[in-house]
Amino acid sequence: MITVSDLRKVYRQGSNDVVALDGVSLEVPTGKIHGIVGHSGAGKSTLVRCLTLLDQPTSGSVAVNGKELTNVDSDALRNARRRIGMVFQHANLFDSRTTEQNVAYPLELVGTPKKEIAEKVAQLLELVGLTKFAKGYPSQLSGGQRQRVGIARALATDPDVLLCDEPTSALDPATTDEILELVRKLRDRLNITVLIITHEMHVVKQICDSVSLLEAGKIVEHGDLEAVITNASGRLASTLLPLPGEAPQAEGAGRVLDLLYTGAQATEPVISGIARKFNTDVNVLAGSVEHLGDQQFAHLRVQFAPDVDIAAIIEHLESTGIAVTVKEAK
Amino acid sequence: MDYFTELLNNPGITKAMWPATVETMQMVFISSVVSVVVGLLIGILLHTTDKTGLAPMRWLNVILSGIIVNITRSIPFAILMVALIPFSALVVGTSLGPIAASVSLTIGTVPFFARLVETALRDVSSGKIDAALVMGSTKMQVIRKVMVPEALPGIVSAITTTVVTIIGYSAMAGLVGGGGLGRLAYNYGYTRYELEIMIITIIIIVIMVQVVQILGDWIARKVDHR
Ligand SMILES: Nc1ncnc2c1ncn2[C@@H]1O[C@H](COP(=O)(O)OP(=O)(O)OP(=O)(O)O)[C@@H](O)[C@H]1O
Ligand SMILES: [Mg+2]
């Protein structure tokens, strides 16, 4: 479990202060994968640096399994850091070391016996599927393989938390999915808590159990994936499940609604149900339906004839658990 | 035929050439070893005490960078060497011979090498240093196990450049009491105008430089896994 409370970070840029983190609080329970998304400049990198104490937070605290990382002496900090495994965007492997020496690095630091290191490294490389590259150097590996080495290295100290900073931003889509699959597998097997910083919604949809939206140093929205994706008034819903391409805007005389729904309703004939019940035509302008995990999510934009009782339709939809937003006709 | 017999009997070659070569090698060896050890240390300190470094320490950085390195580096070597004669005498008891010359050679090249080391260390990406820190390394471990090994190809090239520079400087040092090939070239080649001695001296020095360069490049390639 990782607990962040009221984390603040103020940078001095020349004569003015930049508030990079403005009271971030966050808790990720053991065994969960939490995503933190945000635009450029939102404070994602700052958050990572403060979580690992690479930068000293201005105030607030970070704790892993109840153990404080903030306000401890440098020995305690070094030990606490070993509870966090970190995966970087560009892997940050040591070019002077072979694959196995890279993975062995965190174990060497505390003087682990050679034999024990060899066993642990072999086990980790097996876990990430790189056994046959053990003697190779990072420069001989592909981006995805390098990231796997980075993950193995991060896991060498059996950390409680895996902190991933843009782990797939430098990878192609196929490799991205491979790495995300690996992270999920590791979580399942090791019951490790995972925190993924990313700007790719795809990553969130693929593996996150819950998500936070960081904006100007504040978490402006957070919750379980299912909750945020169906929260029509939230900002994450429309970015997580966008309408395809240039979805037609509300046009002409008809009334236009955006519908967000999940699970049970997604398998029911919602549209034809309404058409029958209210005896009207329903025109689907755009829609996207996705399977995330074992859930199905739908985002539809529909248009009704101008003369329908739109209030009744909205009431009916909401009573079945569908989130509705009225789009103003232009 | 006569020419070669004469050449082989020339005392400049039979008697003086070998000892001079040995003296030069002594000077180069001693000053290279000391410069590399001391310069590596200062280079690491220059890099780590910088305000964005691993252990920022303003006062030490100012002293090392501003005062020692920059000032020493702006003094032309010929002048530095002459100025250091009394100091060499103090350190090794004499101002003559290759050992004395090594003192000023070393002082002249340490700042140069330290700067090269600093540059090589700066090329190690900060992400690697962050990774090492996040994994729980002490600062000393970061330096020994990450920073220096990652910068090794650059450091080896820096050593090569420095040794080549020292060979060049050693000829100059020879003129003011250091002996060696520089002295030989001056005594025979310049004062007596024996062209052969001059040419042979040049050939020996060129071979020395080439050997160092080729060896250095080879080692740099060996340690470079990037
Ligand atoms: N070392 C620093 N000194 C001063 N200001 C900084 C520093 N690091 C970050 N900032 C400021 O903090 C804010 C947040 O930056 P941060 O790098 O955390 O954003 P980010 O979310 O990681 O963006 P990106 O997606 O582009 O990486 C920015 O306004 C930035 O200018
Ligand atoms: Mg960033």
Side-chain angles (χ1 to χ4, degrees), chain A residues 76-102:
Chain A
L77 173 61
R78 257 183 289 113
N79 285 324
R81 275 177 172 162
R82 302 173 65 78
R83 308 281 87 239
I84 300 181
M86 180 148 178
V87 177
F88 299 85
Q89 178 173 357
H90 297 289
N92 291 347
L93 302 179
F94 305 136
D95 295 313
S96 57
R97 290 171 166 252
T98 60
T99 298
E100 58 182 5
Q101 287 168 343
N102 265 284

Side-chain angles (χ1 to χ4, degrees), chain A residues 96-169:
Chain A
S96 57
R97 290 171 166 252
T98 60
T99 298
E100 58 182 5
Q101 287 168 343
N102 265 284
V103 180
Y105 181 86
L107 300 167
E108 283 173 22
L109 294 180
V110 285
T112 314
K114 280 216 163 61
K115 193 160 158 286
E116 231 170 276
I117 293 185
E119 281 168 16
K120 182 83 191 176
V121 168
Q123 194 186 321
L124 286 161
L125 287 179
E126 165 108 58
L127 197 62
V128 299
L130 283 180
T131 306
K132 68 173 181 211
F133 296 98
K135 309 276 182 216
Y137 283 91
S139 58
Q140 301 160 332
L141 301 177
S142 72
Q145 289 167 336
R146 293 168 67 92
Q147 202 53 290
R148 282 165 185 271
V149 179
I151 292 171
R153 185 178 67 173
L155 294 173
T157 52
D158 297 316
D160 303 307
V161 171
L162 191 63
L163 177 59
C164 309
D165 184 15
E166 304 267 3
T168 58
S169 302

Side-chain angles (χ1 to χ4, degrees), chain B residues 84-176:
Chain B
L84 282 172
I85 288 177
F87 178 71
S88 305
L90 198 72
V91 174
V92 296
T94 168
S95 59
L96 293 175
I99 311 283
S102 298
V103 174
S104 46
L105 270 175
T106 305
I107 293 174
T109 44
V110 159
F112 170 71
F113 180 61
R115 275 284 182 237
L116 293 181
V117 169
E118 189 195 10
T119 310
L121 293 176
R122 206 182 298 138
D123 282 345
V124 177
S125 79
S126 64
K128 287 177 185 171
I129 308 298
D130 284 350
L133 286 171
V134 167
M135 285 187 275
S137 318
T138 60
K139 283 173 185 169
M140 213 50 202
Q141 284 171 326
V142 173
I143 294 169
R144 277 190 12 247
K145 293 168 89 72
V146 177
M147 217 139 92
V148 173
E150 290 295 304
L152 203 56
I155 293 175
V156 170
S157 302
I159 293 176
T160 309
T161 310
T162 303
V163 175
V164 169
T165 307
I166 288 178
I167 294 175
Y169 282 177
S170 78
M172 236 189 285
L175 296 184
V176 289

Side-chain angles (χ1 to χ4, degrees), chain B residues 191-210:
Chain B
T191 319
R192 299 201 203 161
Y193 210 74
E194 291 186 26
L195 187 61
E196 294 82 5
I197 304 265
M198 186 71 102
I199 289 170
I200 293 172
T201 310
I202 289 171
I203 290 173
I204 292 176
I205 290 179
V206 167
I207 289 173
M208 273 184 176
V209 170
Q210 288 311 307

Side-chain angles (χ1 to χ4, degrees), chain A residues 235-248:
Chain A
R235 303 256 295 286
L236 279 167
S238 55
T239 37
L240 280 167
L241 206 57
L243 291 172
E246 289 283 296

